[in-house]
C-alpha cells in the first residue's frame, strides 16, 4: 500500500529527449507521403530528362514491364488465335512506334507507381518501426520511472531509518552525556570529599605539630630551668668555696695572730701555739678526710655511671644478638622444606658454626629427632639459608660471640 501510494504521489521526471519526438516523426512521414503523391501526379506530364541513376532504374523497370506486357499481349493474341482458328496460327502483328511509345509510357507509369508504393511501404515500415521504438522507449521510460520511484521510496525509507537511527544516536548521546555529567558530578563530589579529608588531615597534622612544638617548648623550658638550677647550684657551691676560703684565710690570720701572741707570751703562748697547731692539724686532717670523702663519692659516681653504661652496652649487644638470631631463624624457616612424614612431636637441635663473613663452616646435630630425613632437612635448611652477611654489621666482640649457636627445629617453629 505504501509503495503504490508512493508511485502515485511521485511523478517520474520527463526525459528531455521525449520533448518533440513524436511530432517530428509524424511530420517526416507526412512529408514522405506528400513527396510520393507529388511524384505520382507530376510524373506522367514530366518531360524532363532524368539523371543517370533514374534512367538506369527506370529503363530496367520499364524493360521488365514492357516484356511482361508484350508477353501478356502475345499470350492474349495467341489465345484469340487459338480460339478463332485452332488449326492456323497467324503471327501477331508487329506494334508500331506510337504503340511502343504508349506501352513505354504505361511501363514508366507502372514503374513510378510501384516505386511510390515501395516508398510508401518503406515509409510505413519506418513509421511502424518508429512507433515500435517510441512504444519501447515509452515502456523503458515507464519502467525507469517505476524503478526511480522505487529507488526514491527506498531512499526515503533509508532516510527515515537514518533519521530514526540519528535520533536514537542523539538520544544515546544525550543519555551518555547525562551519565558523563553524573559521573563528573560524582567525581567532583568525591574530589571535594577527598579534599575535605585532606584538609582535615592537614588540620590534625597541624594540631599535632603544634602540640609537638608546645611540648618541645615546654621541654626546652624545663631544660632551661634545669640549667638555671644547675647554674645556681654551681654558684652556690662557688660561694660556699669562697666562704670556706675566707674562713681559711681568717683562720690563717687568727693563727698568725695567735703565733704572734704566743711569741709575745712565752711558753704559755708556745703551749697554746702547739695546741693551735694540733687544732690546725686536726682541721687539716678533717679537711683531708672530707676531700677523700668527696673523691670517694666522685669515684662511686663514676663507677655507677660506668656500670650503667656497661649495662646499656650489654643490653644493646643482647638486642643486636637477638636481632641477628631472629634474622637467621627467619631465613632458615623460609629455606626449610619439612619432610612429609614429620610430626609436631619431632625436634632436632643443630649446632651452627659461622665464618667471619657469615658463611656456614660447619653444621652438626647437637640433638637428633630420631628421624635421619628430618635431621638432614634441618641441616640443609641452614646451608641453603647461608650466608648470613648481617654478621659483618655487628661489633667485633659480638661477632665472636655469635659465630657459634644452636638452632632447634620443630615442624611448628625454629628456635
Amino acid at each position: 500500500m505504501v509503495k503504490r501510494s508512493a508511485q502515485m504521489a511521485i511523478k517520474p521526471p520527463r526525459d528531455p529527449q521525449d520533448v518533440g519526438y513524436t511530432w517530428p516523426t509524424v511530420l517526416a512521414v507526412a512529408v514522405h507521403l506528400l513527396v510520393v503523391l507529388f511524384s505520382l501526379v507530376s510524373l506522367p506530364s514530366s518531360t524532363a530528362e532524368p539523371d543517370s541513376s533514374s534512367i538506369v532504374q527506370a529503363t530496367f523497370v520499364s524493360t521488365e514491364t514492357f516484356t511482361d506486357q508484350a508477353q501478356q499481349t502475345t499470350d492474349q493474341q495467341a489465345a484469340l488465335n487459338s480460339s478463332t482458328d485452332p488449326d492456323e496460327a497467324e503471327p501477331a502483328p508487329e506494334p508500331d512506334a506510337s504503340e511502343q511509345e504508349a506501352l513505354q509510357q504505361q511501363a514508366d507509369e507502372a514503374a513510378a507507381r510501384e516505386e511510390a508504393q515501395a516508398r510508401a511501404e518503406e515509409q510505413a515500415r519506418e513509421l511502424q518501426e518508429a512507433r515500435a521504438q517510441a512504444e519501447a522507449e515509452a515502456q523503458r521510460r515507464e519502467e525507469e520511472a517505476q524503478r526511480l520511484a522505487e529507488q526514491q521510496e527506498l531512499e526515503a525509507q533509508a532516510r527515515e531509518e537514518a533519521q530514526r537511527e540519528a535520533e536514537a544516536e542523539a538520544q544515546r548521546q544525550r543519555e551518555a552525556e547525562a551519565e558523563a555529567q553524573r559521573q563528573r558530578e560524582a567525581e567532583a563530589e568525591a574530589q571535594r570529599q577527598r579534599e575535605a579529608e585532606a584538609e582535615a588531615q592537614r588540620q590534625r597534622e597541624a594540631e599535632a605539630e603544634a602540640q609537638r612544638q608546645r611540648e618541645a617548648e615546654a621541654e626546652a623550658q624545663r631544660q632551661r630551668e634545669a640549667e638555671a638550677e644547675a647554674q645556681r647550684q654551681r654558684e652556690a657551691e662557688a660561694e660556699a668555696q669562697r666562704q670556706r676560703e675566707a674562713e681559711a684565710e681568717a683562720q690563717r690570720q687568727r693563727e698568725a695572730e695567735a703565733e704572734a701572741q704566743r711569741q709575745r707570751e712565752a711558753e704559755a703562748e708556745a703551749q697554746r701555739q702547739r695546741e693551735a697547731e694540733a687544732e690546725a692539724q686536726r682541721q687539716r686532717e678533717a679537711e683531708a678526710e672530707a676531700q677523700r670523702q668527696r673523691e670517694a663519692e666522685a669515684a662511686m659516681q663514676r663507677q655507677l655511671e660506668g656500670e650503667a653504661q656497661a649495662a646499656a652496652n650489654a643490653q644493646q649487644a643482647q638486642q643486636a644478638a637477638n636481632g641477628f638470631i631472629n634474622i637467621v631463624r627467619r631465613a632458615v624457616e623460609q629455606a626449610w622444606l619439612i619432610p612429609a612424614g614429620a610430626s609436631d612431636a619431632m625436634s632436632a637441635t643443630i649446632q651452627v658454626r659461622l665464618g667471619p663473613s657469615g658463611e656456614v663452616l660447619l653444621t652438626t646435630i647437637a640433638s637428633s629427632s630420631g628421624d635421619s630425613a628430618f635431621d638432614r632437612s634441618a641441616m640443609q635448611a641452614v646451608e641453603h639459608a647461608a650466608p648470613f652477611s648481617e654478621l659483618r654489621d655487628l661489633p667485633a666482640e659480638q661477632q665472636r660471640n655469635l659465630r657459634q649457636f644452636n638452632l632447634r627445629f620443630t615442624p611448628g617453629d625454629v628456635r
Side-chain angles (χ1 to χ4, degrees):
M1 184 66 183
V2 176
K3 183 175 180 181
R4 187 179 299 109
S5 300
Q7 290 179 357
M8 293 175 64
I10 299 173
K11 293 182 179 180
R14 297 186 62 184
D15 192 347
Q17 297 179 356
D18 290 340
V19 180
Y21 182 81
T22 305
W23 287 109
T25 305
V26 174
L27 290 175
V29 173
V31 169
H32 283 295
L33 291 176
L34 289 174
V35 169
V36 171
L37 292 175
F38 181 78
S39 299
L40 292 175
V41 172
S42 61
L43 185 60
S45 61
S46 178
T47 58
E49 292 294 333
D51 57 2
S52 61
S53 60
S54 299
I55 292 173
V56 173
Q57 185 176 3
T59 304
F60 177 76
V61 173
S62 58
T63 303
E64 181 180 2
T65 304
F66 177 76
T67 304
D68 293 335
Q69 291 178 357
Q71 183 67 33
Q72 292 176 3
T73 303
T74 305
D75 292 337
Q76 291 176 2
Q77 187 66 32
L80 291 174
N81 294 329
S82 62
S83 61
T84 303
D85 190 2
D87 297 330
E88 295 181 0
E90 294 181 356
E94 291 294 332
D96 56 5
S98 59
E99 290 177 352
Q100 291 181 357
E101 184 179 357
L103 292 174
Q104 181 67 32
Q105 186 176 0
Q106 291 177 0
D108 293 338
E109 291 176 356
R113 284 194 299 273
E114 290 176 358
E115 183 179 359
Q117 185 177 0
R119 289 179 182 177
E121 290 175 354
E122 181 67 23
Q123 291 175 359
R125 283 195 301 273
E126 291 177 354
L127 181 60
Q128 185 67 25
E129 290 175 356
R131 186 180 296 108
Q133 291 178 359
E135 290 176 355
E137 183 67 20
Q139 180 67 25
R140 185 186 65 78
R141 293 184 183 281
E142 184 179 359
E143 293 175 356
E144 182 67 21
Q146 184 176 0
R147 185 185 62 79
L148 183 60
E150 293 176 355
Q151 183 177 1
Q152 290 178 352
E153 181 180 3
L154 292 176
E155 290 177 353
Q157 292 178 358
R159 284 194 297 273
E160 292 177 357
E161 183 67 24
Q163 184 176 2
R164 288 195 295 273
E165 291 179 356
E167 291 176 355
E169 181 65 24
Q171 180 66 23
R172 288 194 294 272
Q173 289 181 357
R174 288 194 293 273
E175 293 175 355
E177 289 176 355
E179 181 65 23
Q181 181 66 23
R182 288 195 294 274
Q183 290 181 358
R184 287 194 294 272
E185 292 176 355
E187 290 175 357
E189 182 64 23
Q191 181 65 23
R192 286 194 295 273
Q193 291 180 358
R194 288 194 295 271
E195 290 176 355
E197 291 176 357
E199 182 64 24
Q201 182 65 24
R202 286 195 295 273
Q203 290 180 358
R204 289 194 294 272
E205 292 175 355
E207 291 175 358
E209 183 64 22
Q211 182 65 25
R212 286 195 296 271
Q213 289 181 357
R214 288 193 295 271
E215 291 175 357
E217 291 175 356
E219 181 65 25
Q221 182 65 25
R222 286 193 296 272
Q223 289 181 358
R224 287 194 296 272
E225 291 175 356
E227 290 176 357
E229 182 65 25
Q231 181 65 24
R232 285 194 296 274
Q233 289 179 359
R234 289 193 295 270
E235 292 175 356
E237 289 175 359
E239 182 65 29
Q241 181 66 25
R242 285 193 298 273
Q243 288 178 0
R244 286 193 297 270
E245 291 175 356
E247 289 174 358
E249 182 65 22
Q251 181 64 30
R252 284 191 298 272
Q253 289 178 0
R254 285 192 298 273
E255 289 175 356
E257 290 175 356
E259 181 66 20
Q261 183 65 31
R262 282 192 300 273
Q263 289 178 359
R264 287 189 302 268
E265 292 176 353
E267 292 294 331
E269 187 63 23
Q271 182 64 34
R272 287 193 299 275
Q273 187 177 3
R274 287 192 294 272
E275 292 175 355
E277 290 176 354
E279 183 63 22
Q281 182 64 30
R282 285 194 297 274
Q283 289 180 357
R284 287 192 294 273
E285 290 176 355
E287 290 176 357
E289 182 64 23
Q291 182 67 26
R292 285 193 298 274
Q293 287 180 359
R294 287 194 295 273
E295 292 176 354
E297 289 176 357
M300 181 62 70
Q301 183 66 26
R302 287 193 297 273
Q303 183 177 1
L304 291 175
E305 292 176 355
E307 290 176 356
Q309 183 65 31
N313 293 335
Q315 184 178 3
Q316 184 178 4
Q318 184 63 33
Q319 291 177 353
N322 292 336
F324 176 73
I325 291 300
N326 288 332
I327 291 173
V328 172
R329 183 174 60 82
R330 286 195 295 270
V332 171
E333 284 180 351
Q334 294 177 359
W336 187 24
L337 299 176
I338 302 175
S343 63
D344 294 337
M346 290 184 178
S347 176
T349 301
I350 305 300
Q351 187 179 61
V352 182
R353 182 178 298 174
L354 302 179
S357 299
E359 70 274 14
V360 175
L361 299 178
L362 181 64
T363 56
T364 57
I365 300 175
S367 175
S368 176
S369 63
D371 187 349
S372 60
F374 187 91
D375 296 342
R376 186 166 56 256
S377 68
M379 295 176 68
Q380 290 176 353
V382 175
E383 293 173 356
H384 291 165
F388 307 103
S389 58
E390 293 81 0
L391 182 65
R392 292 178 295 184
D393 300 333
L394 301 176
E397 184 177 359
Q398 294 181 3
Q399 291 183 15
R400 289 192 297 271
N401 295 332
L402 293 174
R403 287 178 61 181
Q404 183 171 347
F405 52 88
N406 293 337
L407 290 175
R408 185 168 63 86
F409 290 76
T410 60
D413 192 9
V414 176
R415 298 181 182 177

